[in-house]
Amino acid sequence: MAEPFFTIWGRLNSHNVKKIVWFAEELGLAWQRHDIGGAFGYTDEYLAKNPNRLVPMIEDGKVCLWESNAILRYMAAEYGGEAWFPSDPIDRALADRWMDWQITFADAQRLPFLSMARVPQAEWDMPAIERDMASCARQLAILDRHLAQTPWLSGSRFGVGDIPMGVYAYTWFSLPFAKPDFPALADWYERIKTRPGFSSYVMIPLT
Ligand SMILES: N[C@@H](CCC(=O)N[C@@H](CS)C(=O)NCC(=O)O)C(=O)O
């Protein structure tokens, strides 16, 4: 077993930390993770490196980096090669856009997720939850139409562009609120679920 050289900082119940752990598995990196953030709090040493008071952050002996999607792009470029980070700018950008698209989607899904995971059911604000579920559904209808035309968000094969929305799709399919059917999205998600790094590190209790 290779000595871990790729250090991930962050609690695993964070969507943004899950992205990094899952992708480290996909790339076969020798990685280790330290709990920090949320209920674990922060150390002065961590905050000196990441003043945002957020997770994740990575260190690999070459760079210390925060912002999860920037970390994914770095990992794909540095450790993935052509298969994970196409040199063709158009191929790369067509996958890349879904990584930034996830940021807008995450805003819409935040309240339904936090309600399910951290708020007693008696205190759920159902009108606000239904409003945000409808916003999620409007966005996912776009994703569904795209996935009806191409097998992966990264194009013809699974790639880094699939990672961010893969993590958020797990939450979406776990939400106990009414939602429309999205056949192409559901088919993509079934294929995502077969990836060992996803089932081990993303499909954990949502807290
Ligand atoms: N844009 C940042 C967002 C990071 C972020 O919001 N992380 C959340 C967890 S998903 C966080 O650190 N919350 C505060 C905490 O855990 O202490 C990224 O993608 O890395």
Side-chain angles (χ1 to χ4, degrees):
M1 185 74 179
E3 209 41 38
F5 73 96
F6 190 89
T7 300
I8 303 168
W9 294 92
R11 55 187 173 85
L12 191 56
N13 63 346
S14 146
H15 287 70
N16 291 308
V17 173
K18 286 178 172 183
K19 295 176 193 172
I20 309 306
V21 173
W22 174 22
F23 197 43
E25 279 288 288
E26 292 285 353
L27 294 175
L29 302 186
W31 59 273
Q32 59 186 336
R33 186 185 61 80
H34 299 297
D35 277 324
I36 200 156
F40 297 94
Y42 289 97
T43 61
D44 290 342
E45 193 187 354
Y46 180 90
L47 293 174
K49 293 176 182 171
N50 183 359
N52 301 298
R53 199 173 272 269
L54 294 171
V55 291
M57 179 178 84
I58 61 108
E59 293 179 291
D60 65 354
K62 290 178 267 196
V63 67
C64 172
L65 196 60
W66 37 260
E67 275 300 328
S68 61
N69 290 346
I71 295 170
L72 291 176
R73 291 182 182 104
Y74 167 70
M75 292 166 75
E78 181 67 15
Y79 299 109
E82 181 68 25
W84 294 97
F85 204 64
S87 51
D88 182 278
I90 295 177
D91 285 348
R92 198 162 65 213
L94 287 173
D96 216 15
R97 62 182 170 177
W98 292 108
M99 300 174 68
D100 292 342
W101 191 91
Q102 165 265 302
I103 297 167
T104 312
F105 180 75
D107 281 345
Q109 192 168 257
R110 183 167 295 113
L111 177 72
F113 160 65
L114 290 175
S115 303
M116 171 192 66
R118 304 189 191 159
V119 178
Q121 189 167 349
E123 293 169 29
W124 287 352
D125 179 350
M126 283 315 296
I129 290 171
E130 281 163 10
R131 177 201 63 210
D132 288 2
M133 288 297 286
S135 170
C136 288
R138 276 193 299 276
Q139 294 178 56
L140 290 177
I142 295 167
L143 193 73
D144 186 58
R145 282 197 293 276
H146 182 71
L147 284 168
Q149 291 161 11
T150 182
W152 301 104
L153 296 180
S154 304
S156 57
R157 61 185 174 197
F158 174 82
V160 67
D162 294 275
I163 299 279
M165 277 312 296
V167 170
Y168 283 83
Y170 169 59
T171 303
W172 169 257
F173 284 104
S174 304
L175 290 171
F177 309 119
K179 30 179 130 76
D181 287 337
F182 293 119
L185 174 65
D187 180 77
W188 169 81
Y189 181 60
E190 286 305 309
R191 286 179 279 124
I192 290 279
K193 281 200 294 189
T194 66
R195 306 198 71 90
F198 186 83
S199 50
S200 301
Y201 297 103
V202 178
M203 300 184 75
I204 60 174
L206 289 164
T207 56

